[in-house]
Amino acid sequence: MRNILRLIHLFVPYWKWIGAGILLSVVTFLADVGLMALSGWFIASMAVAGLTGVPMNYFTPAAAIRGLAILRTLGRYLERLITHETAFRLLARLRVWVYGRLEPLVPARVQAYRSGDLLSRLSADIDTLDDFYVRLLTPLISAMIGCTVCVLFLSRYSMSMAMVTLIFLFLAGAMVPFSVQRLGTPAGEQLVETSSLLRSQVIDGLKGMGELRVYRAAERQARSIEQGTQDMLRCQSRMSRLHGFSEALVGLCANLAMWSSVIILLPLMTRGGPTGPELALIIFFIMTAFEAVAPLPHAFQMLGHTLKAAGRVFALADAQPEIREPDRPAHAPKGFSLHIRDLTFRYHTASPRVLKHINLKIEEGGRLAVIGANGSGKTTLVRLLLRFWEYEQGEIILGGRPLRAYRSSDVRRNMAVVSQDTHLFNTTIRENILIGDLSASEEQMIQAAGAARIHDFVRSLPEGYDTFVGDAGVRLSAGQARRVTIARAILKDAPVMILDEPTEGLDPETERRVMKTLVTLMEGRTVLLITHRLVGLEAVNEVVMLEQGEIVERGRHADLMEKSPRYRRYHDLLSLNPTAWGK
C-alpha cells in the first residue's frame, strides 16, 4: 500500500493530464455502449416496422448512430493520445526523480548492485511502473464511473435487473480481479526477479566473455542463462493462463447478467413493459457495459509485478548516500592548497585497510605525483578527494578547510579530472567538450580544443565539431579520445587538477604528446598526478611511492633516482616492461 501511495504522490503534478485521460476514457466507453445499444434497438425497430407496416422515422436514430460512431472513434484516438502522452511524462518524471536520488549514491552505494540488476531497476522496472497508470488507475476509475452510469440507466426499466447487473459487474470487476491478483502476485514478483537475474547473467557473460573462454566456463554460463530463460518462460506461461481464465470469467459474468436480465424482463413485457426493440437495446447495453470491467482482471493480475518493480526502484532511491552533506556548507575555498593528514581508509568494516596513515601536502600551484602498482591505493585516494567515499580516520584539507565542510558538488566543481577511463558520450565532439562548461561560448570551446591539441584534427573532419564520436568514442583513436577529455578539463578551468593514469593504454608516441599537453595544462593549477608510469615525473615537485596503502618513498624524481635503491629498481623494471606495474 505504501508503494501505491508513493506512486500516486509522484503522479500528482500531472493530475490534469490524468483527469483528461480518464474523462476521455469514460466518454469513449459511454459512446461505445450507446452505439451498440442504439444499433440493436434500431435494427429491431426497423424489423418490427417492416413486419407491421408502421411508419418509422429512421433519420434521427441513423444520424445518432453515425454521431456516436464518430464520437467513439475520435474519443478512442484522443484517449490513446492523452494516456500515452501522460504515461511518457510520468516515466520522464520517474526517471529524473530516480536519477536525482541515484546521483549521491554513486559510486559507493551502487557497487552493492550487479550491473545487470542496476540496469533492470533503471530501465525495465521504471518502464513497468507506467502500467499502474495505463493499466490500473485509469481503467479502474473509468470503470467505476461507467458502471454507475450503466446501472442508473438500467434502473429506469427495472430495479431488479439493475441490481442483478450490478452484482455481476461487481463479480467481474472486483471479485475476479481480487482473485487473480492473489493468484498472480507470486508469479508476477518472481517474473521481476527472474528477468532481472537473467539480464545480469547476460550482461556479466558478455562483459566477461574473454575470461569465461579462457577458464572454459562459457558453456556453464550459457546453461545458467538457458535455465534463467526457462524460469522466465514458466512465469510468463502461468501469467498467460491466468489471464485467459480471468477473461473467460468476465465473459461468463456478462452472459449471466444478460440472460438474468432477459428472464427478469420477459414477464414485464407481457404486462406492457419494455418492447421488443427495447429488449434488444438492453441486451446490447448490458453486453457492452462489461467492457468497462474487462481490463481490470489483467490489471490486478499484473499489480504484484508492478508493485515488485516499484519496490525495487524505491529501495534503490531510498538508499542512504555514503557521503553525508554538511548542514551548513562552507563557502568557496580561499585558496586551493591540498593537505592530507594521517588518512586511513577501508571499503568495508571487515576488509583490510587500503590506505594507512597517508600524509601529503600540495601547496597552491604545486605538483605532486603518486606512483605505485595496481592495488597500492592510488585510485582510492582519488575517490576520497572527489568525495565519492567517506574516510574513517584522518583529514583532508582544501583551501584551509576540511573537505567535509564543503558540499560534494562544490568539491567536484573545483576539481578537473583526466583519467584512464576516458568516457565519451554518443554525441558530437562539441557536446562532449562542452560537458566541462555548458555555458561556454563557441570561441572558448575552440580555445580549449586548441590547448588540448585536438582542434586541427577536428577541423579536418567533414562535419568538424558536429562529428558524432560513436558509442564510447569508438570513432576516435585512444589518443584523440583522451585529448577530447583534456579539452573538457581545460574548458572546466578548475583550480585543482587530478590526473589519474592519464596516459594509460596509449602507445609511446601518443603518450609523449598527451603528456606534453598535460604539462602545459598544469600551469597555475594545484596538480595531483596518479600514475604507475615514468612519463611526466620530471614535471612535478615531489614524487610519492605507495605500496599496499603505505608511503614507502618520497622526494623529487632526480633525488630518488640517486638515493633510493627501491625507486631505481622500479624504474629499471618499468624501463624493461612499461606495463609491469599495471598488472
Side-chain angles (χ1 to χ4, degrees):
M1 188 63 185
R2 180 171 176 269
N3 288 338
I4 293 178
L5 294 177
R6 293 187 69 176
L7 283 174
I8 293 175
H9 178 72
L10 288 171
F11 293 170
V12 166
Y14 298 98
W15 67 269
K16 291 182 179 179
W17 285 87
I18 294 174
I22 293 172
L23 178 62
L24 286 169
S25 179
V26 172
V27 169
T28 303
F29 166 71
L30 294 178
D32 191 21
V33 173
L35 174 63
M36 295 300 294
L38 185 57
S39 298
W41 174 87
F42 183 62
I43 293 172
S45 296
M46 290 294 292
V48 171
L51 290 173
T52 59
V54 177
M56 175 185 174
N57 176 16
Y58 62 86
F59 292 103
T60 301
I65 289 172
R66 291 189 179 93
L68 288 172
I70 294 172
L71 179 61
R72 183 182 68 169
T73 303
L74 182 62
R76 184 67 67 194
Y77 171 76
L78 292 176
E79 185 256 338
R80 290 288 187 268
L81 183 67
I82 294 298
T83 53
H84 282 80
E85 176 66 19
T86 306
F88 291 143
R89 288 172 179 263
L90 294 176
L91 285 178
R93 173 174 171 78
L94 282 169
R95 292 191 191 284
V96 171
W97 179 78
V98 171
Y99 276 94
R101 302 293 291 268
L102 183 64
E103 189 270 338
L105 305 179
V106 178
R109 293 300 185 190
V110 299
Q111 288 190 349
Y113 300 94
R114 296 172 66 178
S115 57
D117 181 53
L118 190 62
L119 176 64
S120 291
R121 293 172 190 256
L122 296 178
S123 57
D125 288 347
I126 292 180
D127 288 342
T128 300
L129 298 185
D130 74 341
D131 287 348
F132 181 77
Y133 165 68
V134 175
R135 294 180 182 271
L136 182 64
L137 188 62
T138 298
L140 180 61
I141 297 176
S142 301
M144 293 172 65
I145 297 173
C147 289
T148 301
V149 173
C150 290
V151 171
L152 291 176
F153 176 81
L154 292 174
S155 66
R156 296 179 62 240
Y157 291 95
S158 169
M159 184 58 67
S160 299
M161 179 184 63
M163 289 298 100
V164 168
T165 304
L166 177 61
I167 290 172
F168 283 108
L169 284 171
F170 178 77
L171 290 174
M175 297 305 297
V176 172
F178 176 76
S179 299
V180 297
Q181 189 267 331
R182 295 290 299 273
L183 295 173
T185 293
E189 292 179 347
Q190 186 180 354
L191 182 59
V192 173
E193 294 289 351
T194 304
S195 301
S196 175
L197 179 61
L198 183 59
R199 291 189 187 93
S200 298
Q201 290 173 330
V202 172
I203 292 173
D204 291 346
L206 291 174
K207 290 174 63 177
M209 182 56 68
E211 289 81 357
L212 289 172
R213 298 187 70 175
V214 167
Y215 291 100
R216 299 182 180 180
E219 291 186 5
R220 184 174 59 189
Q221 181 72 6
R223 288 195 299 270
S224 178
I225 293 174
E226 177 64 23
Q227 182 61 47
T229 303
Q230 294 302 321
D231 292 341
M232 186 177 70
L233 291 175
R234 280 192 289 270
C235 291
Q236 292 175 335
S237 178
R238 288 198 296 269
M239 299 288 281
S240 297
R241 288 196 298 270
L242 192 58
H243 177 52
F245 181 66
S246 64
E247 284 189 332
L249 288 178
V250 172
L252 177 63
C253 289
N255 281 279
L256 290 175
M258 181 196 69
W259 286 109
S260 299
S261 299
V262 170
I263 293 172
I264 292 173
L265 288 177
L266 285 178
L268 297 178
M269 293 177 66
T270 61
R271 298 195 298 267
T275 62
E278 288 178 322
L279 178 61
L281 180 149
I282 292 171
I283 290 174
F284 278 94
F285 188 94
I286 293 174
M287 292 297 294
T288 313
F290 278 82
E291 291 186 5
V293 298
L296 297 184
H298 184 60
F300 277 85
Q301 176 189 340
M302 299 301 295
L303 182 60
H305 179 268
T306 303
L307 294 182
K308 182 66 175 181
R312 285 164 48 84
V313 171
F314 290 140
L316 178 63
D318 293 341
Q320 293 300 311
E322 171 76 13
I323 299 299
R324 295 182 295 275
E325 301 291 353
D327 296 330
R328 295 182 179 180
H331 298 294
K334 297 179 180 179
F336 294 97
S337 61
L338 194 59
H339 294 180
I340 300 174
R341 302 172 182 168
D342 197 35
L343 184 65
T344 300
F345 174 77
R346 72 180 85 202
Y347 282 101
H348 303 288
T349 306
S351 63
R353 290 177 176 176
V354 181
L355 295 175
K356 307 168 188 176
H357 308 291
I358 301 298
N359 289 278
L360 300 174
K361 185 176 182 179
I362 314 175
E363 296 298 344
E364 185 170 2
R367 306 172 185 177
L368 182 142
V370 177
I371 66 173
N374 278 2
S376 60
K378 306 188 306 297
T379 301
T380 299
L381 182 61
V382 174
R383 291 174 176 174
L384 296 178
L385 290 173
L386 293 173
R387 294 288 285 153
F388 288 145
W389 294 83
E390 190 70 77
Y391 44 91
E392 61 177 282
Q393 180 181 327
E395 195 61 88
I396 300 176
I397 308 296
L398 176 64
R401 292 193 182 96
L403 202 65
R404 289 171 170 153
Y406 304 105
R407 282 191 296 258
S408 300
S409 58
D410 292 337
V411 171
R412 292 190 278 270
R413 188 177 298 114
N414 288 297
M415 295 184 181
V417 180
V418 179
S419 71
Q420 60 178 322
D421 299 321
T422 303
H423 185 80
L424 298 182
F425 293 92
N426 190 8
T427 183
T428 63
I429 295 176
R430 172 184 283 102
E431 295 295 331
N432 273 287
I433 295 176
L434 287 174
I435 290 173
D437 183 1
L438 296 176
S439 62
S441 65
E442 183 81 4
E443 182 180 356
Q444 290 172 319
M445 181 202 66
I446 292 176
Q447 288 177 351
R453 303 183 183 182
I454 191 68
H455 174 67
D456 291 340
F457 164 74
V458 175
R459 191 173 55 181
S460 69
L461 297 173
E463 298 182 15
Y465 284 94
D466 293 321
T467 301
F468 275 76
V469 302
D471 189 21
V474 69
R475 296 183 181 177
L476 302 179
S477 69
Q480 292 162 353
R482 201 70 52 89
R483 288 176 185 274
V484 170
T485 61
I486 293 172
R488 181 190 298 170
I490 294 174
L491 191 63
K492 186 175 183 179
D493 196 24
V496 179
M497 180 71 63
I498 297 178
L499 307 176
D500 183 14
E501 305 281 10
T503 60
E504 177 69 15
L506 302 181
D507 62 82
E509 179 61 23
T510 303
E511 179 183 43
R512 184 186 63 80
R513 293 179 180 178
V514 169
M515 200 64 212
K516 187 176 180 180
T517 303
L518 290 174
V519 170
T520 304
L521 179 60
M522 293 179 190
E523 294 295 334
R525 293 181 170 87
T526 303
V527 178
L528 177 64
L529 171 62
I530 305 291
T531 185
H532 67 263
R533 304 173 75 87
L534 300 174
V535 180
L537 296 182
E538 299 85 355
V540 301
N541 306 118
E542 184 181 22
V543 178
V544 172
M545 180 185 292
L546 287 182
E547 281 187 7
Q548 297 181 350
E550 295 183 282
I551 296 177
V552 294
E553 296 286 354
R554 65 191 316 159
R556 296 184 65 87
H557 173 67
D559 296 337
L560 289 172
M561 285 294 296
E562 180 181 350
K563 300 176 181 179
S564 172
R566 187 202 308 260
Y567 190 84
R568 285 198 306 272
R569 187 166 59 251
Y570 280 121
H571 182 278
D572 294 341
L573 176 63
L574 284 176
S575 298
L576 295 172
N577 183 4
T579 64
W581 285 12
K583 292 183 179 180

